Coordinates of all heavy atoms in Angstrom, one line a residue:
M1 N 335.3 326.2 81.9 CA 336.0 326.4 80.6 C 337.5 326.4 80.8 O 338.2 325.8 80.0 CB 335.5 327.8 80.0 CG 336.1 328.1 78.7 SD 335.5 326.9 77.5 CE 336.4 327.3 76.1
Y2 N 338.0 327.1 81.9 CA 339.4 327.1 82.2 C 339.9 325.7 82.5 O 341.0 325.3 82.1 CB 339.7 328.0 83.3 CG 339.5 329.5 83.0 CD1 338.5 330.2 83.7 CD2 340.2 330.1 82.0 CE1 338.2 331.5 83.4 CE2 340.0 331.4 81.7 CZ 339.0 332.1 82.4 OH 338.8 333.4 82.1
R3 N 339.0 324.9 83.1 CA 339.4 323.5 83.4 C 339.6 322.7 82.1 O 340.6 321.9 82.1 CB 338.3 322.9 84.3 CG 338.6 321.5 84.8 CD 337.6 321.0 85.7 NE 337.6 321.8 86.9 CZ 336.8 321.6 87.9 NH1 335.9 320.7 87.8 NH2 336.8 322.4 89.0
L4 N 338.8 322.9 81.1 CA 338.9 322.2 79.9 C 340.2 322.6 79.2 O 340.9 321.8 78.6 CB 337.7 322.4 79.0 CG 336.4 321.8 79.5 CD1 335.3 322.1 78.5 CD2 336.5 320.3 79.6
I5 N 340.5 323.9 79.2 CA 341.8 324.4 78.6 C 343.0 323.7 79.3 O 343.9 323.3 78.6 CB 341.8 325.9 78.6 CG1 340.7 326.5 77.7 CG2 343.2 326.4 78.2 CD1 340.6 328.0 77.9
L6 N 342.9 323.7 80.6 CA 344.0 323.1 81.4 C 344.1 321.6 81.1 O 345.2 321.1 80.9 CB 343.8 323.3 82.9 CG 344.9 322.9 83.8 CD1 346.1 323.7 83.6 CD2 344.5 323.0 85.2
I7 N 343.0 320.9 80.9 CA 343.0 319.5 80.6 C 343.5 319.2 79.2 O 344.3 318.3 79.0 CB 341.6 318.9 80.8 CG1 341.3 318.8 82.3 CG2 341.5 317.5 80.2 CD1 339.8 318.5 82.6
F8 N 343.1 320.1 78.3 CA 343.6 320.0 76.9 C 345.1 320.2 76.9 O 345.8 319.4 76.2 CB 342.9 321.0 76.0 CG 343.4 321.0 74.6 CD1 342.9 320.2 73.7 CD2 344.4 321.9 74.2 CE1 343.3 320.1 72.4 CE2 344.9 321.8 72.9 CZ 344.3 321.0 72.0
F9 N 345.6 321.2 77.6 CA 347.0 321.5 77.7 C 347.8 320.3 78.3 O 348.9 320.0 77.8 CB 347.3 322.8 78.4 CG 348.7 323.2 78.4 CD1 349.3 323.7 77.2 CD2 349.5 323.1 79.5 CE1 350.6 324.0 77.1 CE2 350.9 323.4 79.4 CZ 351.4 323.9 78.3
S10 N 347.2 319.7 79.3 CA 347.8 318.5 79.9 C 348.0 317.4 78.9 O 349.1 316.7 78.9 CB 347.0 318.1 81.1 OG 347.0 319.1 82.1
G11 N 346.9 317.1 78.2 CA 347.0 316.0 77.2 C 348.0 316.3 76.1 O 348.7 315.4 75.7
S12 N 347.9 317.5 75.6 CA 348.8 317.8 74.5 C 350.3 317.9 75.0 O 351.2 317.5 74.3 CB 348.5 319.2 73.9 OG 348.5 320.2 74.8
S13 N 350.5 318.3 76.2 CA 351.9 318.3 76.8 C 352.4 316.9 77.0 O 353.6 316.6 76.7 CB 351.9 319.0 78.2 OG 351.6 320.3 78.0
L14 N 351.5 315.9 77.4 CA 351.9 314.5 77.5 C 352.3 313.9 76.2 O 353.4 313.3 76.1 CB 350.8 313.7 78.2 CG 351.1 312.3 78.4 CD1 352.3 312.1 79.4 CD2 349.9 311.5 78.8
V15 N 351.5 314.2 75.2 CA 351.8 313.7 73.8 C 353.1 314.3 73.3 O 353.9 313.6 72.7 CB 350.6 313.9 72.9 CG1 351.0 313.6 71.4 CG2 349.4 313.1 73.3
S16 N 353.3 315.6 73.5 CA 354.5 316.3 73.1 C 355.7 315.7 73.8 O 356.7 315.4 73.1 CB 354.4 317.8 73.4 OG 355.6 318.4 73.0
F17 N 355.6 315.4 75.1 CA 356.7 314.8 75.8 C 357.0 313.4 75.3 O 358.2 313.1 75.1 CB 356.4 314.8 77.3 CG 357.4 314.0 78.1 CD1 358.6 314.6 78.4 CD2 357.1 312.8 78.6 CE1 359.5 313.9 79.1 CE2 358.0 312.1 79.4 CZ 359.2 312.6 79.6
L18 N 356.0 312.6 75.1 CA 356.2 311.2 74.6 C 356.8 311.2 73.2 O 357.7 310.4 72.9 CB 354.9 310.5 74.6 CG 354.4 310.1 76.1 CD1 353.0 309.5 76.0 CD2 355.4 309.3 76.8
T19 N 356.3 312.1 72.3 CA 356.8 312.3 71.0 C 358.3 312.6 71.0 O 359.2 312.0 70.3 CB 356.1 313.3 70.2 OG1 354.7 313.0 70.2 CG2 356.6 313.4 68.8
C20 N 358.7 313.6 71.9 CA 360.1 314.0 72.0 C 360.9 312.8 72.6 O 362.0 312.6 72.1 CB 360.1 315.2 73.0 SG 361.8 315.7 73.4
L21 N 360.4 312.1 73.6 CA 361.1 311.0 74.1 C 361.4 309.9 73.1 O 362.5 309.4 73.0 CB 360.3 310.4 75.3 CG 360.9 309.7 76.4 CD1 361.9 310.6 77.1 CD2 359.9 309.1 77.3
I22 N 360.4 309.5 72.3 CA 360.5 308.5 71.3 C 361.5 309.0 70.2 O 362.4 308.2 69.8 CB 359.1 308.2 70.7 CG1 358.3 307.5 71.7 CG2 359.3 307.3 69.4 CD1 356.8 307.3 71.3
Y23 N 361.4 310.2 69.8 CA 362.3 310.8 68.8 C 363.7 310.7 69.3 O 364.7 310.3 68.5 CB 361.9 312.2 68.4 CG 362.7 312.8 67.3 CD1 362.4 312.6 66.0 CD2 363.9 313.6 67.7 CE1 363.2 313.2 65.0 CE2 364.6 314.1 66.7 CZ 364.3 313.9 65.4 OH 365.1 314.5 64.4
R24 N 364.0 311.1 70.5 CA 365.3 311.2 71.0 C 365.9 309.7 71.2 O 367.0 309.5 71.0 CB 365.4 311.9 72.3 CG 365.2 313.4 72.1 CD 365.1 314.1 73.4 NE 364.9 315.5 73.2 CZ 365.7 316.5 73.7 NH1 366.7 316.2 74.5 NH2 365.5 317.7 73.4
Y25 N 365.0 308.8 71.6 CA 365.5 307.4 71.8 C 365.8 306.8 70.5 O 366.9 306.1 70.4 CB 364.3 306.6 72.5 CG 364.7 305.2 72.7 CD1 365.6 304.8 73.7 CD2 364.2 304.2 71.9 CE1 365.9 303.5 74.0 CE2 364.5 302.9 72.1 CZ 365.4 302.5 73.1 OH 365.7 301.2 73.3
R26 N 365.0 307.0 69.4 CA 365.2 306.4 68.1 C 366.5 307.0 67.5 O 367.2 306.3 66.7 CB 364.0 306.7 67.2 CG 362.8 305.8 67.6 CD 361.7 306.0 66.7 NE 362.0 305.4 65.4 CZ 361.3 305.7 64.3 NH1 360.3 306.5 64.3 NH2 361.6 305.1 63.2
H27 N 366.8 308.3 67.7 CA 367.9 308.9 67.1 C 369.1 309.0 68.0 O 370.1 309.7 67.7 CB 367.5 310.3 66.6 CG 366.6 310.3 65.4 ND1 365.2 310.2 65.6 CD2 366.8 310.2 64.1 CE1 364.6 310.2 64.5 NE2 365.5 310.2 63.5
N28 N 369.0 308.4 69.2 CA 370.1 308.3 70.2 C 370.7 309.7 70.5 O 371.8 310.0 70.5 CB 371.3 307.5 69.6 CG 372.1 306.9 70.7 OD1 371.7 306.9 71.9 ND2 373.3 306.5 70.4
I29 N 369.7 310.6 70.9 CA 370.1 312.0 71.2 C 370.0 312.1 72.8 O 369.0 311.7 73.4 CB 369.1 313.0 70.6 CG1 369.2 312.9 69.1 CG2 369.3 314.4 71.1 CD1 368.1 313.7 68.4
H30 N 371.1 312.7 73.4 CA 371.1 312.8 74.8 C 371.2 314.3 75.2 O 371.4 314.5 76.4 CB 372.3 312.0 75.4 CG 372.2 310.5 75.1 ND1 371.2 309.7 75.6 CD2 372.8 309.7 74.2 CE1 371.3 308.5 75.2 NE2 372.3 308.5 74.3
D31 N 371.2 315.2 74.3 CA 371.3 316.6 74.7 C 370.0 317.0 75.4 O 368.9 316.5 75.1 CB 371.5 317.5 73.5 CG 372.9 317.3 72.9 OD1 373.7 316.8 73.6 OD2 373.0 317.6 71.7
R32 N 370.0 318.1 76.2 CA 368.8 318.5 76.8 C 368.1 319.6 76.0 O 367.0 320.0 76.4 CB 369.1 319.1 78.2 CG 370.1 320.2 78.2 CD 370.4 320.6 79.6 NE 369.3 321.4 80.2 CZ 369.4 322.6 80.7 NH1 370.5 323.2 80.7 NH2 368.3 323.2 81.1
Y33 N 368.7 320.1 75.0 CA 368.1 321.1 74.2 C 367.3 320.6 73.0 O 367.7 319.6 72.4 CB 369.1 322.1 73.6 CG 369.9 322.8 74.7 CD1 371.2 322.4 75.0 CD2 369.3 323.7 75.5 CE1 372.0 323.0 76.0 CE2 370.0 324.3 76.5 CZ 371.4 324.0 76.8 OH 372.1 324.6 77.8
S34 N 366.2 321.2 72.6 CA 365.5 320.9 71.4 C 366.0 321.6 70.3 O 366.2 322.9 70.4 CB 364.0 321.2 71.6 OG 363.4 320.4 72.6
V35 N 366.4 320.9 69.2 CA 367.0 321.6 68.0 C 366.1 321.3 66.8 O 365.3 320.4 66.7 CB 368.4 321.1 67.8 CG1 369.3 321.4 69.0 CG2 368.5 319.6 67.6
C36 N 366.3 322.2 65.8 CA 365.7 322.0 64.5 C 366.2 320.7 63.8 O 367.4 320.5 63.8 CB 365.9 323.2 63.7 SG 365.4 323.1 62.0
D37 N 365.3 320.0 63.2 CA 365.7 318.8 62.4 C 366.6 319.2 61.3 O 367.5 318.4 60.9 CB 364.5 318.0 61.9 CG 363.7 317.4 63.0 OD1 364.2 317.3 64.1 OD2 362.6 317.1 62.7
H38 N 366.4 320.3 60.7 CA 367.1 320.7 59.4 C 368.4 321.4 59.7 O 369.5 321.0 59.2 CB 366.2 321.6 58.6 CG 366.7 321.9 57.3 ND1 366.8 321.0 56.3 CD2 367.1 323.1 56.7 CE1 367.3 321.6 55.2 NE2 367.5 322.8 55.5
C39 N 368.4 322.5 60.5 CA 369.6 323.3 60.7 C 370.4 322.9 62.0 O 371.5 323.3 62.1 CB 369.3 324.8 60.7 SG 368.3 325.4 62.1
G40 N 369.7 322.2 62.9 CA 370.4 321.8 64.1 C 370.6 322.9 65.2 O 371.3 322.7 66.2
R41 N 370.0 324.1 65.0 CA 370.1 325.1 65.9 C 369.1 325.0 67.0 O 368.0 324.5 66.8 CB 370.1 326.5 65.2 CG 371.3 326.7 64.4 CD 371.2 327.6 63.3 NE 370.8 329.0 63.6 CZ 370.6 329.9 62.6 NH1 370.8 329.5 61.3 NH2 370.3 331.1 62.9
I42 N 369.4 325.5 68.2 CA 368.5 325.4 69.4 C 367.3 326.3 69.2 O 367.3 327.4 68.7 CB 369.3 325.9 70.7 CG1 370.4 324.9 70.9 CG2 368.3 325.9 71.8 CD1 371.3 325.4 72.1
L43 N 366.1 325.7 69.5 CA 364.8 326.3 69.3 C 364.5 327.2 70.5 O 364.8 326.8 71.6 CB 363.7 325.3 69.1 CG 363.9 324.4 67.9 CD1 362.8 323.3 67.9 CD2 363.8 325.2 66.6
P44 N 363.9 328.4 70.3 CA 363.5 329.2 71.4 C 362.3 328.6 72.2 O 361.6 327.7 71.7 CB 363.0 330.5 70.7 CG 362.7 330.2 69.3 CD 363.6 329.0 69.0
W45 N 362.1 329.0 73.4 CA 361.1 328.4 74.3 C 359.7 328.4 73.8 O 359.0 327.4 74.0 CB 361.2 329.1 75.7 CG 360.8 330.5 75.7 CD1 361.6 331.6 75.5 CD2 359.4 331.0 75.9 NE1 360.8 332.7 75.5 CE2 359.5 332.4 75.8 CE3 358.2 330.4 76.1 CZ2 358.4 333.2 75.9 CZ3 357.1 331.2 76.3 CH2 357.2 332.6 76.2
Y46 N 359.3 329.5 73.2 CA 357.9 329.6 72.8 C 357.5 328.7 71.6 O 356.3 328.4 71.4 CB 357.5 331.1 72.4 CG 358.3 331.6 71.3 CD1 357.9 331.5 69.9 CD2 359.5 332.3 71.5 CE1 358.7 332.0 68.9 CE2 360.3 332.8 70.5 CZ 359.8 332.7 69.2 OH 360.6 333.2 68.1
V47 N 358.5 328.2 70.9 CA 358.2 327.2 69.8 C 357.9 325.8 70.4 O 357.2 325.0 69.8 CB 359.4 327.2 68.9 CG1 359.2 326.1 67.8 CG2 359.6 328.5 68.2
K48 N 358.3 325.6 71.6 CA 358.1 324.3 72.2 C 356.8 324.1 73.0 O 356.6 323.1 73.6 CB 359.3 324.0 73.1 CG 360.6 323.9 72.4 CD 361.8 323.6 73.2 CE 362.5 324.9 73.6 NZ 363.7 324.7 74.3
I49 N 356.0 325.2 73.0 CA 354.7 325.1 73.7 C 353.8 324.2 72.8 O 353.7 324.4 71.6 CB 354.0 326.5 73.8 CG1 354.9 327.4 74.6 CG2 352.6 326.3 74.4 CD1 354.4 328.8 74.6
P50 N 353.2 323.1 73.4 CA 352.4 322.2 72.5 C 351.3 322.9 71.8 O 350.6 323.8 72.4 CB 351.8 321.2 73.5 CG 352.8 321.3 74.7 CD 353.3 322.7 74.7
V51 N 351.1 322.6 70.6 CA 350.1 323.2 69.6 C 350.3 324.6 69.4 O 350.5 325.1 68.2 CB 348.6 322.9 70.1 CG1 347.7 323.4 69.1 CG2 348.4 321.4 70.4
L52 N 350.4 325.5 70.4 CA 350.5 326.9 70.2 C 351.9 327.3 69.5 O 351.9 328.2 68.7 CB 350.5 327.6 71.6 CG 349.1 328.0 72.1 CD1 349.3 328.7 73.4 CD2 348.4 328.9 71.1
G53 N 352.9 326.5 69.8 CA 354.2 326.8 69.3 C 354.2 326.7 67.8 O 354.9 327.5 67.1
Y54 N 353.4 325.8 67.3 CA 353.4 325.6 65.8 C 352.8 326.9 65.2 O 353.3 327.3 64.1 CB 352.5 324.4 65.5 CG 352.4 324.1 64.0 CD1 353.4 323.4 63.4 CD2 351.3 324.5 63.2 CE1 353.4 323.1 62.0 CE2 351.3 324.2 61.9 CZ 352.3 323.5 61.3 OH 352.2 323.3 59.9
F55 N 351.8 327.4 65.8 CA 351.1 328.6 65.2 C 351.9 329.9 65.4 O 352.0 330.8 64.6 CB 349.7 328.7 65.7 CG 348.8 327.6 65.3 CD1 348.4 326.6 66.2 CD2 348.3 327.5 64.0 CE1 347.6 325.6 65.8 CE2 347.5 326.5 63.6 CZ 347.2 325.5 64.5
L56 N 352.6 329.9 66.6 CA 353.5 331.1 66.9 C 354.6 331.2 65.9 O 355.1 332.2 65.5 CB 354.0 331.0 68.3 CG 352.9 331.3 69.4 CD1 353.5 331.0 70.8 CD2 352.4 332.7 69.3
S57 N 355.1 330.0 65.5 CA 356.3 330.0 64.5 C 355.8 329.9 63.1 O 356.6 329.8 62.2 CB 357.2 328.8 64.8 OG 356.5 327.6 64.6
L58 N 354.5 329.9 62.9 CA 353.8 329.9 61.5 C 354.2 328.6 60.8 O 354.3 328.6 59.6 CB 354.2 331.1 60.7 CG 353.9 332.5 61.3 CD1 354.4 333.6 60.5 CD2 352.4 332.6 61.5
G59 N 354.4 327.5 61.6 CA 354.7 326.2 61.0 C 356.1 326.1 60.4 O 356.3 325.1 59.6
R60 N 357.0 327.0 60.8 CA 358.3 326.9 60.2 C 359.3 327.1 61.3 O 359.0 327.7 62.3 CB 358.5 328.0 59.2 CG 357.6 327.8 57.9 CD 357.9 328.8 56.9 NE 357.2 328.6 55.7 CZ 357.7 327.8 54.7 NH1 358.8 327.2 54.8 NH2 356.9 327.5 53.6
C61 N 360.5 326.6 61.1 CA 361.6 326.8 62.0 C 361.9 328.3 62.0 O 362.0 329.0 61.0 CB 362.9 326.1 61.6 SG 364.4 326.4 62.5
V62 N 362.0 328.9 63.2 CA 362.3 330.4 63.3 C 363.7 330.7 63.0 O 364.0 331.9 62.7 CB 361.9 330.9 64.7 CG1 360.5 330.8 65.0 CG2 362.7 330.1 65.8
R63 N 364.6 329.7 62.9 CA 366.0 330.0 62.6 C 366.3 329.9 61.1 O 366.9 330.7 60.5 CB 366.9 329.0 63.3 CG 366.7 328.9 64.8 CD 367.3 330.1 65.5 NE 367.2 329.9 66.9 CZ 367.1 330.8 67.8 NH1 367.1 332.1 67.4 NH2 367.0 330.6 69.1
C64 N 365.7 328.8 60.4 CA 366.1 328.6 59.0 C 364.9 328.6 58.1 O 365.0 328.6 56.9 CB 366.9 327.3 58.9 SG 365.9 325.8 59.2
G65 N 363.6 328.6 58.6 CA 362.5 328.6 57.8 C 362.0 327.2 57.3 O 361.1 327.1 56.5
Y66 N 362.7 326.1 57.8 CA 362.3 324.8 57.4 C 360.9 324.5 57.9 O 360.5 324.8 59.0 CB 363.3 323.8 58.1 CG 363.0 322.3 57.8 CD1 363.2 321.8 56.6 CD2 362.5 321.5 58.8 CE1 362.9 320.4 56.3 CE2 362.3 320.2 58.6 CZ 362.4 319.7 57.4 OH 362.2 318.3 57.2
R67 N 360.1 323.9 57.0 CA 358.7 323.6 57.4 C 358.6 322.5 58.4 O 359.1 321.4 58.2 CB 357.9 323.3 56.1 CG 356.4 323.1 56.4 CD 355.6 322.8 55.1 NE 355.6 324.0 54.2 CZ 354.7 325.0 54.3 NH1 353.8 324.9 55.2 NH2 354.8 326.0 53.5
I68 N 357.9 322.7 59.5 CA 357.7 321.7 60.6 C 356.6 320.8 60.1 O 355.6 321.3 59.7 CB 357.4 322.4 61.9 CG1 358.5 323.4 62.3 CG2 357.1 321.4 63.0 CD1 358.2 324.3 63.5
P69 N 356.8 319.5 60.2 CA 355.8 318.5 59.8 C 354.5 318.7 60.6 O 354.5 319.0 61.8 CB 356.4 317.2 60.1 CG 357.9 317.4 60.2 CD 358.1 318.8 60.6
L70 N 353.4 318.7 59.9 CA 352.1 318.9 60.5 C 351.7 317.8 61.5 O 350.8 318.0 62.3 CB 351.0 319.0 59.4 CG 349.7 319.6 59.8 CD1 349.8 321.0 60.3 CD2 348.7 319.6 58.6
C71 N 352.4 316.7 61.4 CA 352.0 315.6 62.3 C 352.2 315.9 63.8 O 351.5 315.4 64.7 CB 352.7 314.3 61.9 SG 354.5 314.4 62.1
Y72 N 353.1 316.8 64.1 CA 353.4 317.2 65.5 C 352.2 317.9 66.1 O 351.7 317.5 67.2 CB 354.7 318.0 65.6 CG 355.9 317.2 65.3 CD1 356.8 317.6 64.2 CD2 356.3 316.0 65.9 CE1 357.9 316.8 63.9 CE2 357.4 315.3 65.6 CZ 358.2 315.7 64.6 OH 359.3 315.0 64.2
P73 N 351.8 319.0 65.6 CA 350.6 319.7 66.2 C 349.3 318.9 66.1 O 348.5 319.0 67.0 CB 350.5 321.0 65.4 CG 351.2 320.8 64.2 CD 352.3 319.8 64.4
L74 N 349.2 318.0 65.1 CA 348.0 317.2 65.0 C 348.0 316.1 66.1 O 347.0 315.9 66.7 CB 347.9 316.5 63.6 CG 347.5 317.4 62.5 CD1 347.5 316.7 61.2 CD2 346.2 318.1 62.7
A75 N 349.1 315.5 66.3 CA 349.2 314.5 67.4 C 349.0 315.2 68.8 O 348.3 314.6 69.6 CB 350.6 313.8 67.4
E76 N 349.6 316.3 69.0 CA 349.4 317.0 70.3 C 347.9 317.4 70.4 O 347.4 317.3 71.5 CB 350.3 318.3 70.3 CG 351.8 317.9 70.4 CD 352.7 319.1 70.1 OE1 352.2 320.2 69.8 OE2 353.9 318.9 70.1
S77 N 347.3 317.9 69.4 CA 345.9 318.3 69.5 C 345.0 317.0 69.7 O 344.1 317.1 70.5 CB 345.4 318.9 68.2 OG 346.1 320.1 67.9
A78 N 345.3 315.9 69.1 CA 344.6 314.7 69.3 C 344.7 314.3 70.8 O 343.7 313.8 71.4 CB 345.1 313.6 68.4
G79 N 345.9 314.4 71.4 CA 346.1 314.0 72.8 C 345.3 314.9 73.7 O 344.7 314.5 74.6
G80 N 345.3 316.2 73.4 CA 344.5 317.2 74.2 C 343.0 316.9 74.1 O 342.3 316.9 75.1
L81 N 342.6 316.6 72.9 CA 341.1 316.4 72.7 C 340.7 315.1 73.4 O 339.6 314.9 73.9 CB 340.8 316.3 71.2 CG 340.8 317.7 70.5 CD1 340.6 317.5 69.0 CD2 339.8 318.6 71.1
L82 N 341.6 314.1 73.3 CA 341.3 312.8 74.0 C 341.2 313.0 75.5 O 340.3 312.5 76.1 CB 342.4 311.8 73.7 CG 342.3 310.4 74.3 CD1 341.1 309.7 73.7 CD2 343.5 309.6 74.2
F83 N 342.1 313.8 76.1 CA 342.0 314.1 77.5 C 340.7 314.8 77.8 O 340.0 314.5 78.8 CB 343.2 314.9 78.0 CG 344.3 314.1 78.5 CD1 344.8 313.0 77.8 CD2 344.9 314.5 79.7 CE1 345.8 312.2 78.3 CE2 346.0 313.7 80.2 CZ 346.4 312.6 79.5
V84 N 340.3 315.8 77.0 CA 339.0 316.5 77.2 C 337.9 315.6 77.1 O 336.9 315.6 77.9 CB 338.9 317.7 76.2 CG1 337.5 318.3 76.3 CG2 340.0 318.8 76.6
L85 N 337.9 314.7 76.1 CA 336.8 313.8 75.9 C 336.7 312.8 77.1 O 335.6 312.6 77.6 CB 337.0 313.0 74.6 CG 335.9 312.0 74.2 CD1 334.7 312.8 73.8 CD2 336.4 311.2 73.0
L86 N 337.8 312.3 77.6 CA 337.8 311.4 78.7 C 337.2 312.1 80.0 O 336.5 311.6 80.7 CB 339.2 310.8 79.0 CG 339.7 309.8 78.0 CD1 341.1 309.4 78.3 CD2 338.8 308.6 77.9
Y87 N 337.6 313.4 80.1 CA 337.1 314.2 81.3 C 335.6 314.4 81.2 O 334.9 314.2 82.1 CB 337.8 315.5 81.3 CG 337.2 316.4 82.3 CD1 337.5 316.2 83.7 CD2 336.4 317.5 82.0 CE1 337.0 317.1 84.7 CE2 335.9 318.3 82.9 CZ 336.2 318.1 84.3 OH 335.6 318.9 85.2
L88 N 335.1 314.7 80.0 CA 333.7 315.0 79.8 C 332.9 313.7 79.9 O 331.7 313.7 80.5 CB 333.4 315.6 78.4 CG 333.9 317.0 78.2 CD1 333.7 317.5 76.8 CD2 333.3 317.9 79.2
L89 N 333.4 312.6 79.5 CA 332.7 311.3 79.7 C 332.7 310.9 81.2 O 331.7 310.2 81.6 CB 333.4 310.2 78.9 CG 333.2 310.3 77.4 CD1 334.0 309.2 76.7 CD2 331.7 310.1 77.0
Q90 N 333.7 311.3 81.9 CA 333.7 310.9 83.3 C 332.8 311.7 84.2 O 332.2 311.2 85.1 CB 335.2 311.1 83.9 CG 335.3 310.8 85.3 CD 336.6 311.3 85.9 OE1 337.3 312.1 85.3 NE2 337.0 310.9 87.1
T91 N 332.6 313.0 83.8 CA 331.7 313.9 84.6 C 330.2 313.7 84.2 O 329.9 313.2 83.2 CB 332.1 315.3 84.5 OG1 332.1 315.7 83.1 CG2 333.5 315.6 85.1
Ligands
ZN1 ZN1 366.0 325.2 61.4

């Protein structure tokens, strides 16, 4: 069970990283900090945990209350589920 959780977290982390990379490349952002799209303030560490961060922040920016698009946790969840599925098919 712990192995599946670790594999899910690995897949969701990879999707989160790739999403961040694409977003920064498209918007020409070179800062190392993750900021809110709306207010531009730096986000705390726990908001950046894939999938969990969305629920910990109740789907909103913890600084200004701006609603975070649902596509981010959905894409991260899909990546995690894909990794789990690939692992289960392999074993
Ligand atoms: Zn904000």
Side-chain angles (χ1 to χ4, degrees):
M1 184 66 186
Y2 293 114
R3 185 175 293 177
L4 291 179
I5 293 172
L6 187 65
I7 291 170
F8 178 86
F9 186 72
S10 299
S12 61
S13 296
L14 180 67
V15 170
S16 178
F17 172 73
L18 291 175
T19 304
C20 176
L21 205 64
I22 292 168
Y23 182 86
R24 287 173 182 236
Y25 179 76
R26 290 181 70 197
H27 292 88
N28 203 17
I29 298 171
H30 298 291
D31 293 338
R32 60 182 284 237
Y33 300 107
S34 294
V35 297
C36 171
D37 290 343
H38 187 68
C39 65
R41 288 154 63 183
I42 296 173
L43 298 173
W45 65 270
Y46 59 89
V47 174
K48 295 180 264 184
I49 301 171
V51 184
L52 274 181
Y54 183 82
F55 295 105
L56 290 174
S57 65
L58 303 175
R60 294 184 174 273
C61 171
V62 293
R63 307 283 188 212
C64 68
Y66 177 72
R67 184 176 292 275
I68 299 169
L70 194 59
C71 63
Y72 295 120
L74 286 179
E76 293 166 357
S77 299
L81 289 174
L82 180 68
F83 266 46
V84 169
L85 185 69
L86 289 175
Y87 172 76
L88 291 176
L89 288 175
Q90 181 194 11
T91 55

